[in-house]
């Protein structure tokens, strides 16, 4: 034990403690000092997560204009990750390495690379209407696109561009077995993307719902097997897929069914006046299962090389219906049993509960109240309704509780959440939030079995809730405890990244992310990289005028350390992180080329660029990966055209003697004794019962094998009395020992903190 303490001091690793010179504050003291109430303490106890603790649920929140997805835990509200989706993100190397550039390039529109997205609605993949924790989808409202994120590594794998829309909003929503990912238009535009005057708005501008086919085995959307249903130029809005009783159908709201086309600059009343004139808009109801069959039967029309079921076909085949819904609705949310569809109307104080059974019966009986200007049958509002409930001013979205018939509705204008019973049509509770709530989200609240407990209010304004940071405020996510009859606000979390419209929360135990890739992995394609290389096989090859460098990254060196090319060359660097240890990511940055890579354990990443100017370009690892991280460096030397190297020996800054060598060997031998004592400490305990320790031991063993290699080289040089190389290799041997000791001590600490048992003396 004493020995171990001394080694930790020798390596300067932790374990320092100071005796407190003052007595500790009591709970009462702290409450007084910080002005906390009993209620605050209770809220703190409900959310505080001690060090090393884990969250019960993980939230995947839209990152709004950042084009990313935010991941945070509940109840701690600690942010865990930003997943780069539509926007380059340097930490993850997204949009900097060749592999992820290809993903971003899939999202080009009209040949243009778009470096942002307006993400709105994340959707988790489902199996039988339950979240399965495998895939996440998110839409881009500004540039109609949908992205596929793999929850095995929390990376974006695919971006698909909508072939007919120029604006969208009602995505991403999945069908109960993730057969399709739904995306609905927002602002109508011509499918052709050509110029069409607004005078032809009614005839040539169109909305649509696209059903993106998801191939679960491949983990990719199949654009060629996806299709759309043509809709009138009503501004379509949020959507939801039916489930259980209503499986096979999807529902899409709309506003501005007035088809008003604005024109304030020519003296016409503005959009907001013309779009809110009528008392009702339309809920679209589409039989997507039948629609898919129609496509298979060849009844779709190819538009922009994409299968579209025209309105005429949809009407003739009886797969498209409209139901009036009160003034400018926003959210449409199918109840967990699939029997009800709740629509909240922004300009109406009611939430309307539609009965799927009644709507289906009207359709089956062909009992229609009329048709719209395009001939789409309209169901009678009253005959379709189960009930309407006055929930507050400006209701937007609905989320379901685990308790039957309980729903929560966000009330934008009143800045409230209303809890109500949709079976009986009565309001149960209201809570004020800060301020102007948009979406709200309960745990797995849009599945067939919501989990209850918590509700998050995703507010549009924060105003005075946090320390001021300039005119642009963070967003405010408020955590509400919904386990009891009365809702309780328990946490405010500032979100400093875009406006998160919607979020989904999943039980943390459903997620099974990996900790490392198989060695040499192209994570964006999910296959072994053609550019992978094993340690010791690093090389440079010139092919088709491109200098390919096949290198490796491992604590604490980049191989190669010197790369020399001639001016005008195109260089393609490929680095494989050959670490097996958890959390040993290496970065790679080089002066002046906008090259910035992140290589997580096992990953192979590439960067291709042209070197047009002779010069010296230092490169290094950007992750503080070990004590010798700063030495994880190298040089790209770009020689002038026709440069001839002079025959001069490399100048060493320092020369070493036998004495230096002996001194280093002595230090190494002492270090080895310390390592042996740590190994003894670990192996005397039941370390095999702790998987993180097993992984650390594996990593330490790797380092000791490298040490043995370096030791042999040092001794060989010593035999030949080459004290220069002998001493340097002895130093390298020591470096591996340091890493092994560092890892060993981490394992030892883990065992101590987790009450490991002594199994042998
Ligand atoms: Cu902001 Cu769902 Cu896009 Cu409502 S949406 S708030
Ligand atoms: Cu690798 Cu620092």
């Amino acid at each position: 034990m004493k020995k171990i303490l001394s080694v930790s001091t020798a390596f300067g690793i932790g374990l320092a403690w100071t005796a407190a010179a003052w007595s500790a504050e009591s709970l009462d003291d702290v409450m007084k000092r910080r002005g906390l109430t009993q209620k605050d303490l209770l809220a703190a106890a409900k959310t505080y997560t001690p060090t090393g603790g884990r969250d019960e649920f993980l939230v995947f929140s839209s990152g709004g204009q950042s084009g990313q997805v935010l991941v945070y835990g509940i109840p701690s509200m600690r942010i865990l990750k930003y997943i780069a989706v539509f926007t380059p993100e340097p930490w993850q190397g997204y949009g900097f390495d060749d592999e992820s550039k290809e993903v971003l390039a899939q999202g080009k529109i009209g040949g243009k690379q778009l470096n942002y997205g307006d993400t709105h609605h994340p959707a988790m993949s489902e199996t039988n209407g339950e979240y399965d924790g495998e895939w996440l989808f998110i839409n881009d409202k500004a540039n109609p696109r949908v992205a596929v994120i793999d929850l095995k590594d929390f990376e974006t794998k695919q971006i698909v561009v909508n072939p007919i829309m120029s604006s969208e909003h009602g995505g991403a929503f999945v069908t109960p077995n993730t057969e399709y990912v739904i995306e609905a238009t927002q602002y109508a535009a011509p499918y052709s993307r050509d110029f069409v005057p607004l005078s032809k708005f009614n005839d040539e501008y169109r909305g649509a719902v696209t059903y993106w086919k998801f191939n679960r085995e491949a983990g990719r959307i199949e654009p060629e097997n996806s299709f759309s249903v043509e809709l009138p130029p009503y501004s379509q809005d949020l959507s939801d897929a039916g489930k259980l009783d209503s499986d096979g159908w999807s529902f899409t709201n709309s506003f501005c069914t007035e088809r008003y086309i604005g024109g304030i600059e020519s003296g016409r009343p503005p959009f907001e006046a013309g779009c809110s004139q009528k008392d009702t808009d339309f809920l679209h109801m589409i039989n997507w299962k039948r629609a898919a069959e129609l496509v298979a039967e060849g009844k779709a029309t190819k538009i922009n090389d994409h299968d579209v079921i025209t309105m005429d076909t949809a009407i003739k085949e009886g797969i498209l219906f409209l139901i009036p819904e009160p003034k400018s609705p926003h959210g449409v949310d199918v109840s967990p049993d699939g029997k009800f569809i709740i629509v909240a109307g922004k300009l109406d104080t009611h939430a309307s509960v539609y009965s799927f059974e009644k709507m289906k019966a009207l359709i089956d009986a062909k009992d229609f109240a009329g048709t719209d200007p395009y001939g789409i049958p309209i169901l009678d509002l009253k005959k379709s309704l189960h009930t309407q409930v006055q929930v507050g001013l400006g209701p937007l979205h609905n989320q379901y509780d685990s308790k039957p018939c309980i729903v929560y509705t966000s009330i934008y204008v009143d800045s409230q959440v209303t809890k109500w019973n949709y079976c009986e049509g009565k309001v149960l509770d209201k809570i004020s939030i800060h301020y102007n709530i948009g979406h709200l989200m309960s745990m797995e609240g849009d599945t067939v079995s919501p989990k209850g407990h918590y509700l998050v209010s995703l507010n549009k304004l924060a105003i005075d809730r946090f320390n001021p940071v300039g005119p642009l405020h963070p967003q405010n996510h408020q955590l509400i405890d919904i386990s009891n009859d009365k809702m309780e606000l328990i946490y405010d979390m500032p979100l400093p990244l875009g406006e998160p419209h919607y979020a989904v929360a999943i039980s943390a135990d459903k997620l099974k992310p990996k900790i490392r890739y198989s060695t040499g992995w192209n994570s964006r394609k999910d296959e072994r990289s053609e550019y992978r290389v094993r340690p010791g096989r690093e090389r440079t090859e010139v092919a088709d005028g491109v200098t390919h460098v096949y290198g490796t990254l491992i604590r604490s060196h980049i191989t190669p350390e010197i790369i020399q090319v001639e001016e005008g060359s195109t260089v393609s660097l490929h680095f494989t992180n050959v670490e097996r240890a958890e959390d040993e990511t290496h970065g790679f940055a080089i002066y002046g080329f906008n090259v910035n890579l992140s290589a997580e354990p096992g990953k192979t990443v590439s960067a291709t660029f042209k070197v047009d100017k002779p010069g010296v370009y230092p490169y290094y690892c950007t992750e503080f990966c070990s004590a010798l991280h700063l030495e994880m460096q190298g040089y790209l030397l770009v020689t002038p055209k026709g440069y001839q190297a002079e025959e001069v020996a490399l100048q060493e800054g320092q020369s070493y003697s036998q004495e230096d060598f002996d001194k280093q060997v002595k230090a190494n031998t002492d270090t080895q004794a310390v390592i042996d004592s740590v190994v003894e400490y670990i192996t005397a305990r039941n370390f095999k019962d702790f998987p993180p320790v097993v992984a650390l031991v594996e990593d330490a063993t790797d380092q000791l094998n490298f040490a043995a290699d370096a030791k042999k080289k040092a001794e060989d040089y010593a035999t030949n009395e080459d004290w220069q190389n002998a001493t340097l290799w002895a130093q390298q041997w020591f470096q591996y020992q340091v890493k092994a000791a560092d890892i060993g001590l981490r394992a030892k600490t883990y065992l101590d903190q987790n009450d490991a048992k002594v199994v042998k003396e």
Side-chain angles (χ1 to χ4, degrees):
M1 182 66 198
K2 216 167 137 217
K3 246 183 182 170
I4 288 157
L5 282 180
S6 70
V7 73
S8 60
T9 327
F11 295 123
I13 293 161
L15 292 192
W17 57 74
T18 348
W22 54 84
S23 58
E25 274 183 303
S26 72
L27 184 57
D28 280 344
D29 294 338
V30 176
M31 284 176 71
K32 210 172 287 163
R33 177 166 61 81
R34 301 200 61 215
L36 301 177
T37 63
Q38 286 289 340
K39 210 174 144 210
D40 295 332
L41 285 200
L42 188 60
K46 283 178 181 177
T47 56
Y48 176 70
T49 305
T51 179
R54 300 286 174 92
D55 279 299
E56 207 181 328
F57 296 96
L58 282 202
V59 176
F60 293 83
S61 170
S62 142
Q65 303 89 334
S66 76
Q68 303 180 354
V69 165
L70 294 145
V71 186
Y72 64 83
I74 282 186
S76 78
M77 306 299 271
R78 294 176 300 183
I79 294 177
L80 302 169
K81 197 170 219 174
Y82 296 158
I83 304 174
V85 185
F86 294 110
T87 310
E89 200 290 307
W91 172 49
Q92 297 161 58
Y94 188 71
F96 293 87
D97 62 60
D98 294 348
E99 290 80 0
S100 61
K101 273 183 184 166
E102 277 183 30
V103 177
L104 271 175
Q106 294 167 10
K108 284 186 181 178
I109 290 183
K112 280 198 204 73
Q113 174 92 34
L114 305 167
N115 283 333
Y116 82 105
D118 184 15
T119 63
H120 275 240
H121 308 105
M124 188 72 68
S125 60
E126 295 181 9
T127 302
N128 299 322
E130 303 266 14
Y131 288 166
D132 53 37
E134 292 184 355
W135 303 94
L136 187 79
F137 309 92
I138 192 154
N139 69 320
D140 172 8
K141 169 169 167 159
N143 318 289
R145 300 182 292 177
V146 171
V148 179
I149 297 160
D150 190 342
L151 295 179
K152 281 196 296 298
D153 59 359
F154 289 47
E155 274 197 351
T156 302
K157 305 294 176 173
Q158 185 187 22
I159 295 174
V160 289
V161 177
N162 194 289
I164 54 172
M165 297 176 187
S166 302
S167 166
E168 60 104 284
H169 186 231
F173 298 94
V174 300
T175 55
N177 281 299
T178 324
E179 297 96 334
Y180 292 96
V181 182
I182 297 172
E183 184 183 27
T185 329
Q186 183 104 86
Y187 308 115
Y191 288 168
S192 66
R193 299 214 174 88
D194 291 336
F195 167 73
V196 176
L198 279 164
S199 55
K200 295 192 176 162
F201 187 84
N202 292 349
D203 297 331
E204 294 193 31
Y205 284 53
R206 285 292 175 266
V209 175
T210 298
Y211 298 87
W212 289 105
K213 179 73 194 158
F214 185 61
N215 178 332
R216 194 183 272 268
E217 237 135 81
R220 299 292 183 273
I221 283 172
E222 298 177 335
E224 66 282 11
N225 292 320
S226 306
F227 66 92
S228 298
V229 175
E230 181 194 18
L231 296 179
Y234 306 149
S235 295
Q236 279 79 25
D237 204 23
L238 287 152
S239 304
D240 201 2
K243 46 178 94 103
L244 298 173
D245 283 24
S246 51
D247 188 15
W249 292 80
S250 71
F251 306 92
T252 297
N253 272 343
S254 62
F255 61 91
C256 203
T257 52
E258 293 87 350
R259 294 175 293 165
Y260 190 67
I261 50 171
I264 192 168
E265 51 295 306
S266 38
R268 283 163 53 82
F271 271 115
E272 57 185 311
C275 282
S276 56
Q277 184 55 34
K278 286 196 336 185
D279 282 340
T280 55
D281 289 287
F282 289 125
L283 172 62
H284 303 66
M285 183 176 176
I286 299 172
N287 185 338
W288 64 260
K289 268 202 182 144
R290 183 70 195 118
E293 288 167 10
L294 293 177
V295 175
E297 290 162 18
K299 293 189 176 142
T301 305
K302 285 275 183 206
I303 300 178
N304 302 347
D305 208 25
H306 169 71
D307 282 319
V308 178
I309 297 179
T310 62
M311 277 195 279
D312 289 346
T313 305
I315 295 164
K316 197 168 84 209
E317 299 286 342
I319 62 157
L320 172 63
F321 304 93
L322 300 172
I323 309 104
E325 46 185 10
K327 240 175 155 105
S328 300
H330 195 41
V332 50
D333 300 282
V334 178
S335 64
D337 58 12
K339 289 189 196 316
F340 300 102
I341 299 120
I342 302 185
V343 172
K346 299 191 292 282
L347 303 180
D348 189 83
T349 55
H350 293 91
S352 304
V353 185
Y354 291 85
S355 156
F356 177 75
E357 202 187 332
K358 288 184 181 176
M359 287 149 70
K360 188 72 190 357
L362 291 173
I363 291 169
D364 291 344
K366 297 200 162 43
D367 178 356
F368 302 125
T371 56
D372 82 337
Y374 299 89
I376 306 171
I378 302 173
L379 309 188
D380 183 76
L381 170 63
K382 287 233 165 62
K383 287 185 190 168
S384 306
L385 278 178
H386 167 68
T387 185
Q388 278 184 317
V389 177
Q390 197 147 29
V391 289
L393 209 57
L396 293 187
H397 297 282
N398 314 291
Q399 278 279 291
Y400 296 93
D401 200 337
S402 54
K403 298 169 195 127
C405 297
I406 303 297
V407 68
Y408 301 85
T409 299
S410 54
I411 315 292
Y412 179 83
V413 179
D414 287 341
S415 287
Q416 285 186 329
V417 172
T418 299
K419 173 183 178 177
W420 54 289
N421 181 312
Y422 59 90
C423 301
E424 294 166 17
K426 66 173 197 249
V427 170
L428 302 171
D429 189 26
K430 289 191 180 195
I431 190 170
S432 292
I433 57 77
H434 317 87
Y435 303 91
N436 297 88
I437 179 172
H439 274 271
L440 71 183
M441 173 203 54
S442 59
M443 307 300 99
E444 304 194 5
D446 52 22
T447 68
V448 295
S449 58
K451 301 290 179 277
H453 297 301
Y454 305 104
L455 183 78
V456 175
S457 161
L458 288 77
N459 307 325
K460 296 303 181 195
L461 304 179
I463 309 182
D464 58 357
R465 293 288 108 175
F466 307 111
N467 293 50
V469 289
L472 181 62
H473 291 230
Q475 299 283 313
N476 185 11
H477 280 198
Q478 290 186 302
L479 184 66
I480 298 168
D481 180 356
I482 54 166
S483 5
N484 306 302
D485 289 345
K486 298 282 300 167
M487 293 178 276
E488 290 275 358
L489 181 58
I490 55 176
Y491 201 88
D492 275 34
M493 175 176 65
L495 273 187
L497 190 88
E499 177 189 337
H501 290 262
Y502 187 44
V504 289
I506 182 171
S507 294
D509 57 15
K510 286 188 182 173
L511 296 166
K512 306 265 183 287
K514 55 173 121 194
I515 59 168
R516 71 170 81 87
Y517 294 105
S518 322
T519 307
W521 203 249
N522 176 336
S523 68
R524 303 290 170 176
K525 282 196 174 147
D526 269 338
E527 61 187 31
R528 285 213 180 272
S529 169
E530 56 183 310
Y531 301 118
R532 71 187 185 275
V533 68
R534 295 221 311 266
R537 305 279 173 82
E538 294 90 346
R539 65 189 187 280
T540 297
E541 279 172 9
V542 179
D544 301 327
V546 178
T547 304
H548 288 273
V549 177
Y550 297 80
T552 57
L553 305 169
I554 193 167
R555 280 157 293 166
S556 309
H557 33 266
I558 300 172
T559 309
E561 294 186 339
I562 313 291
I563 302 169
Q564 186 165 317
V565 293
E566 204 178 65
E567 91 180 88
S569 313
T570 297
V571 181
S572 192
L573 304 176
H574 313 287
F575 285 110
T576 300
N577 179 342
V578 293
E579 300 278 359
R580 293 193 295 163
E582 182 165 10
D583 202 13
E584 278 298 346
T585 294
H586 298 289
F588 180 90
I590 184 164
Y591 166 70
F593 292 105
N594 203 34
V595 168
N596 173 62
L597 308 175
S598 172
E600 298 88 58
K603 201 189 233 185
T604 297
V605 285
S606 307
T608 305
F609 54 100
K610 199 165 171 188
V611 289
D612 28 29
K613 205 173 149 291
V616 173
Y617 302 89
Y619 56 79
Y620 67 99
C621 165
T622 55
E623 292 267 346
F624 209 110
C625 49
S626 73
L628 271 291
H629 149 76
L630 294 179
E631 287 75 0
M632 202 164 165
Q633 57 163 346
Y635 286 103
L636 169 67
L637 304 172
V638 180
T639 60
K641 274 228 164 64
Y643 169 76
Q644 292 290 328
E646 293 169 47
E647 287 284 333
V648 189
L650 221 50
Q651 282 181 19
E652 302 271 6
Q654 182 77 48
S655 46
Y656 302 101
S657 63
Q658 181 172 8
E659 200 184 324
D660 294 317
F661 174 72
D662 291 343
K663 206 171 127 204
Q664 186 61 55
V665 170
K666 166 86 173 52
N668 294 5
T669 311
D670 292 350
T671 306
Q672 193 57 46
V674 176
I675 291 171
D676 291 345
S677 75
V678 179
V679 170
E680 204 178 298
Y681 185 92
I682 293 167
T683 52
R685 278 154 187 82
N686 60 334
F687 76 95
K688 289 193 176 140
D689 296 341
F690 303 93
V693 176
V694 173
L696 288 170
V697 167
E698 192 178 87
D699 187 23
T701 309
D702 281 352
Q703 301 299 329
L704 288 174
N705 287 336
F706 296 143
D709 248 26
K711 177 170 187 265
K712 176 148 191 328
K713 285 195 178 112
E715 287 167 352
D716 287 350
Y717 279 111
T719 311
N720 293 324
E721 300 193 1
D722 177 345
W723 303 116
Q724 189 70 10
N725 280 308
T727 308
L728 288 170
W729 279 110
Q731 175 62 226
Q732 184 59 35
W733 156 21
F734 176 70
Q735 291 309 333
Y736 287 123
Q737 289 182 311
V738 173
K739 283 167 209 150
D742 174 4
I743 299 158
L745 285 167
R746 229 188 294 163
K748 179 195 165 286
T749 308
Y750 189 97
L751 291 176
D752 290 347
Q753 289 177 349
N754 288 279
D755 303 321
K757 285 191 249 335
V758 176
V759 290
K760 65 175 190 224
E761 280 307 319

